[in-house]
Amino acid sequence: MKRPHSCDPLTYPSLGRPSVRLPSAPAGRFALPAEPAARLGCDAVGTPREHGAKIMNCLPRVGCVFADELRWWWIVPAGSDIGVTWPPSTSYAVGARLERSVAPPTDAPLADPSWRGPRPALPLLIHRPDGDSPYTPPLPLYFLVCRLAGSVPHWSPGVGA
């Protein structure tokens, strides 16, 4: 599918895709397909479900994407959080591992309230790339997520250099 060169994610129509059930994975870790290989390590960026199709339609390239009833998870190279401030509406999973083993008290304030309550075992793979990389490019993803969240992109030049 040819991707648009320019689009406004706030007005782009939604996209319905079927889910693909994966074999069980180690507790809390996304089960990436063997091919394409994730040679750079991987992290995952979780976005609100209602933004998922808009983001997918606007990106020039999309890697592996997982989804559950609350979030779409985009596989990005490890360290894609270094020097940038992801909007509060996103979740960032280092090592593409969802930490759900310790539930916070129900009265504890959460940066991401979607973690409260019962969750499925793991999100399902809904998009597998055609190319040789499992990654969604993190910078275009970051700018789209910021646009949808109404956040100003913020990064720290020289961090991690």
Side-chain angles (χ1 to χ4, degrees), residues 12 15 19 24 29-30 36 38-40 47 58 60 64 69 78 81 91 95 103 114 128 130 140 158 161:
Y12 210 83
L15 171 71
S19 296
S24 61
R29 188 169 188 145
F30 290 100
R39 291 181 177 87
L40 301 175
T47 62
C58 288
C64 291
E69 77 279 3
D81 60 333
S91 299
S114 70
R128 184 179 177 150
D130 295 330

Side-chain angles (χ1 to χ4, degrees), residues 64-90:
C64 291
V65 181
F66 294 81
D68 61 23
E69 77 279 3
L70 300 172
R71 295 212 167 282
W72 282 34
W73 293 91
W74 310 83
I75 300 301
V76 295
S80 294
D81 60 333
I82 297 172
V84 300
T85 303
W86 288 91
S89 62
T90 61

Side-chain angles (χ1 to χ4, degrees), residues 18 65 79 115 131 141 144:
V65 181
W115 286 101
L141 176 63
L144 281 169

Side-chain angles (χ1 to χ4, degrees), residues 51-70:
H51 295 165
K54 294 172 188 172
I55 294 169
M56 186 174 282
N57 283 324
C58 288
L59 287 172
R61 181 182 153 18
V62 177
C64 291
V65 181
F66 294 81
D68 61 23
E69 77 279 3
L70 300 172

